[in-house]
Amino acid sequence: MELLMRRAGQVVTRRLAEDQLFGLSRELGSNAVEVYIHRLRRKLEDMGAGARIENIRGVGYLLRSTE
């Protein structure tokens, strides 16, 4: 979430998210980032936050205000 917040309004690539979350040397499952994004989306929705995480197909993720 911190990475998305620091880059609010900018696309965060999947590769950057992987590197920031797990480091360069760790081998990941193919959907590890998607699982974390799904959990973050659920938490934002449950809290009634004024923001959402959008998937930019083929590029990455974007944190956008809903207000």
Side-chain angles (χ1 to χ4, degrees):
M1 190 66 195
E2 180 182 349
L3 177 62
L4 290 167
M5 289 174 64
R6 284 186 186 184
R7 295 175 177 258
Q10 299 175 353
V11 176
V12 174
T13 65
R14 177 188 165 132
R15 184 69 184 163
L16 177 61
E18 288 174 351
D19 292 347
Q20 293 292 311
L21 289 169
F22 306 107
L24 298 172
S25 62
R26 185 164 174 197
E27 191 66 30
L28 298 175
S30 63
N31 67 338
V33 172
E34 286 82 4
V35 169
Y36 282 103
I37 293 294
H38 175 75
R39 290 176 183 168
L40 287 172
R41 284 178 173 146
R42 185 179 300 156
K43 287 181 181 186
L44 287 172
E45 185 177 317
D46 290 348
M47 292 172 35
R52 69 176 183 268
I53 301 171
E54 295 181 4
N55 183 35
I56 308 300
R57 187 176 177 144
V59 180
Y61 304 96
L62 176 68
L63 180 65
R64 188 181 305 243
S65 174
T66 57
E67 297 176 351

PDB file of all heavy atoms in Angstrom, residues 50-63:
ATOM      1  N   GLY A  50     -11.775   6.418   0.295  1.00  0.00           N
ATOM      2  CA  GLY A  50     -12.070   7.210  -0.896  1.00  0.00           C
ATOM      3  C   GLY A  50     -11.051   6.977  -1.988  1.00  0.00           C
ATOM      4  O   GLY A  50     -10.683   7.897  -2.699  1.00  0.00           O
ATOM      5  N   ALA A  51     -10.610   5.730  -2.101  1.00  0.00           N
ATOM      6  CA  ALA A  51      -9.612   5.388  -3.116  1.00  0.00           C
ATOM      7  C   ALA A  51      -9.848   3.959  -3.593  1.00  0.00           C
ATOM      8  O   ALA A  51     -10.455   3.158  -2.894  1.00  0.00           O
ATOM      9  CB  ALA A  51      -8.207   5.516  -2.556  1.00  0.00           C
ATOM     10  N   ARG A  52      -9.354   3.684  -4.795  1.00  0.00           N
ATOM     11  CA  ARG A  52      -9.426   2.319  -5.318  1.00  0.00           C
ATOM     12  C   ARG A  52      -8.153   2.017  -6.103  1.00  0.00           C
ATOM     13  O   ARG A  52      -7.464   2.924  -6.581  1.00  0.00           O
ATOM     14  CB  ARG A  52     -10.652   2.129  -6.182  1.00  0.00           C
ATOM     15  CG  ARG A  52     -10.609   2.877  -7.492  1.00  0.00           C
ATOM     16  CD  ARG A  52     -11.830   2.550  -8.351  1.00  0.00           C
ATOM     17  NE  ARG A  52     -11.742   3.215  -9.629  1.00  0.00           N
ATOM     18  CZ  ARG A  52     -12.242   4.389  -9.916  1.00  0.00           C
ATOM     19  NH1 ARG A  52     -12.905   5.053  -9.002  1.00  0.00           N
ATOM     20  NH2 ARG A  52     -12.093   4.920 -11.102  1.00  0.00           N
ATOM     21  N   ILE A  53      -7.860   0.741  -6.219  1.00  0.00           N
ATOM     22  CA  ILE A  53      -6.703   0.289  -6.986  1.00  0.00           C
ATOM     23  C   ILE A  53      -7.218  -0.234  -8.315  1.00  0.00           C
ATOM     24  O   ILE A  53      -8.029  -1.165  -8.356  1.00  0.00           O
ATOM     25  CB  ILE A  53      -5.925  -0.806  -6.240  1.00  0.00           C
ATOM     26  CG1 ILE A  53      -5.448  -0.291  -4.886  1.00  0.00           C
ATOM     27  CG2 ILE A  53      -4.753  -1.293  -7.091  1.00  0.00           C
ATOM     28  CD1 ILE A  53      -4.855  -1.352  -3.985  1.00  0.00           C
ATOM     29  N   GLU A  54      -6.757   0.370  -9.386  1.00  0.00           N
ATOM     30  CA  GLU A  54      -7.169  -0.040 -10.721  1.00  0.00           C
ATOM     31  C   GLU A  54      -6.068  -0.875 -11.362  1.00  0.00           C
ATOM     32  O   GLU A  54      -4.878  -0.616 -11.163  1.00  0.00           O
ATOM     33  CB  GLU A  54      -7.434   1.179 -11.600  1.00  0.00           C
ATOM     34  CG  GLU A  54      -8.587   2.017 -11.132  1.00  0.00           C
ATOM     35  CD  GLU A  54      -8.840   3.201 -12.030  1.00  0.00           C
ATOM     36  OE1 GLU A  54      -8.170   3.341 -13.081  1.00  0.00           O
ATOM     37  OE2 GLU A  54      -9.709   4.011 -11.673  1.00  0.00           O
ATOM     38  N   ASN A  55      -6.482  -1.837 -12.137  1.00  0.00           N
ATOM     39  CA  ASN A  55      -5.549  -2.641 -12.912  1.00  0.00           C
ATOM     40  C   ASN A  55      -5.391  -1.985 -14.280  1.00  0.00           C
ATOM     41  O   ASN A  55      -6.380  -1.748 -14.974  1.00  0.00           O
ATOM     42  CB  ASN A  55      -6.090  -4.064 -13.070  1.00  0.00           C
ATOM     43  CG  ASN A  55      -5.134  -4.951 -13.800  1.00  0.00           C
ATOM     44  OD1 ASN A  55      -3.928  -4.820 -13.665  1.00  0.00           O
ATOM     45  ND2 ASN A  55      -5.659  -5.877 -14.577  1.00  0.00           N
ATOM     46  N   ILE A  56      -4.168  -1.681 -14.647  1.00  0.00           N
ATOM     47  CA  ILE A  56      -3.871  -1.165 -15.970  1.00  0.00           C
ATOM     48  C   ILE A  56      -3.294  -2.353 -16.744  1.00  0.00           C
ATOM     49  O   ILE A  56      -2.132  -2.724 -16.548  1.00  0.00           O
ATOM     50  CB  ILE A  56      -2.867   0.011 -15.929  1.00  0.00           C
ATOM     51  CG1 ILE A  56      -3.329   1.092 -14.946  1.00  0.00           C
ATOM     52  CG2 ILE A  56      -2.644   0.560 -17.322  1.00  0.00           C
ATOM     53  CD1 ILE A  56      -4.677   1.707 -15.252  1.00  0.00           C
ATOM     54  N   ARG A  57      -4.124  -2.968 -17.548  1.00  0.00           N
ATOM     55  CA  ARG A  57      -3.793  -4.232 -18.192  1.00  0.00           C
ATOM     56  C   ARG A  57      -2.466  -4.161 -18.942  1.00  0.00           C
ATOM     57  O   ARG A  57      -2.220  -3.262 -19.738  1.00  0.00           O
ATOM     58  CB  ARG A  57      -4.907  -4.638 -19.141  1.00  0.00           C
ATOM     59  CG  ARG A  57      -4.708  -6.008 -19.694  1.00  0.00           C
ATOM     60  CD  ARG A  57      -5.858  -6.408 -20.550  1.00  0.00           C
ATOM     61  NE  ARG A  57      -5.560  -7.711 -21.117  1.00  0.00           N
ATOM     62  CZ  ARG A  57      -6.439  -8.634 -21.326  1.00  0.00           C
ATOM     63  NH1 ARG A  57      -7.694  -8.410 -21.049  1.00  0.00           N
ATOM     64  NH2 ARG A  57      -6.085  -9.775 -21.861  1.00  0.00           N
ATOM     65  N   GLY A  58      -1.617  -5.146 -18.631  1.00  0.00           N
ATOM     66  CA  GLY A  58      -0.328  -5.253 -19.288  1.00  0.00           C
ATOM     67  C   GLY A  58       0.729  -4.300 -18.757  1.00  0.00           C
ATOM     68  O   GLY A  58       1.865  -4.324 -19.206  1.00  0.00           O
ATOM     69  N   VAL A  59       0.356  -3.439 -17.796  1.00  0.00           N
ATOM     70  CA  VAL A  59       1.296  -2.443 -17.283  1.00  0.00           C
ATOM     71  C   VAL A  59       1.492  -2.586 -15.783  1.00  0.00           C
ATOM     72  O   VAL A  59       2.594  -2.791 -15.305  1.00  0.00           O
ATOM     73  CB  VAL A  59       0.835  -1.004 -17.623  1.00  0.00           C
ATOM     74  CG1 VAL A  59       1.825   0.012 -17.094  1.00  0.00           C
ATOM     75  CG2 VAL A  59       0.630  -0.839 -19.109  1.00  0.00           C
ATOM     76  N   GLY A  60       0.400  -2.443 -15.004  1.00  0.00           N
ATOM     77  CA  GLY A  60       0.528  -2.511 -13.555  1.00  0.00           C
ATOM     78  C   GLY A  60      -0.719  -2.040 -12.864  1.00  0.00           C
ATOM     79  O   GLY A  60      -1.832  -2.312 -13.309  1.00  0.00           O
ATOM     80  N   TYR A  61      -0.541  -1.278 -11.782  1.00  0.00           N
ATOM     81  CA  TYR A  61      -1.640  -0.868 -10.914  1.00  0.00           C
ATOM     82  C   TYR A  61      -1.582   0.623 -10.659  1.00  0.00           C
ATOM     83  O   TYR A  61      -0.515   1.222 -10.630  1.00  0.00           O
ATOM     84  CB  TYR A  61      -1.571  -1.629  -9.592  1.00  0.00           C
ATOM     85  CG  TYR A  61      -1.577  -3.113  -9.813  1.00  0.00           C
ATOM     86  CD1 TYR A  61      -0.390  -3.829  -9.861  1.00  0.00           C
ATOM     87  CD2 TYR A  61      -2.776  -3.788 -10.007  1.00  0.00           C
ATOM     88  CE1 TYR A  61      -0.396  -5.195 -10.102  1.00  0.00           C
ATOM     89  CE2 TYR A  61      -2.783  -5.154 -10.239  1.00  0.00           C
ATOM     90  CZ  TYR A  61      -1.604  -5.848 -10.297  1.00  0.00           C
ATOM     91  OH  TYR A  61      -1.604  -7.190 -10.530  1.00  0.00           O
ATOM     92  N   LEU A  62      -2.759   1.198 -10.422  1.00  0.00           N
ATOM     93  CA  LEU A  62      -2.881   2.625 -10.216  1.00  0.00           C
ATOM     94  C   LEU A  62      -3.809   2.873  -9.030  1.00  0.00           C
ATOM     95  O   LEU A  62      -4.928   2.355  -8.997  1.00  0.00           O
ATOM     96  CB  LEU A  62      -3.467   3.271 -11.473  1.00  0.00           C
ATOM     97  CG  LEU A  62      -3.776   4.755 -11.433  1.00  0.00           C
ATOM     98  CD1 LEU A  62      -2.497   5.572 -11.347  1.00  0.00           C
ATOM     99  CD2 LEU A  62      -4.562   5.152 -12.663  1.00  0.00           C
ATOM    100  N   LEU A  63      -3.340   3.635  -8.054  1.00  0.00           N
ATOM    101  CA  LEU A  63      -4.174   4.055  -6.934  1.00  0.00           C
ATOM    102  C   LEU A  63      -4.827   5.367  -7.318  1.00  0.00           C
ATOM    103  O   LEU A  63      -4.160   6.340  -7.646  1.00  0.00           O
ATOM    104  CB  LEU A  63      -3.332   4.244  -5.660  1.00  0.00           C
ATOM    105  CG  LEU A  63      -4.087   4.678  -4.413  1.00  0.00           C
ATOM    106  CD1 LEU A  63      -5.070   3.592  -3.975  1.00  0.00           C
ATOM    107  CD2 LEU A  63      -3.116   4.991  -3.298  1.00  0.00           C
TER     108      LEU A  63
END
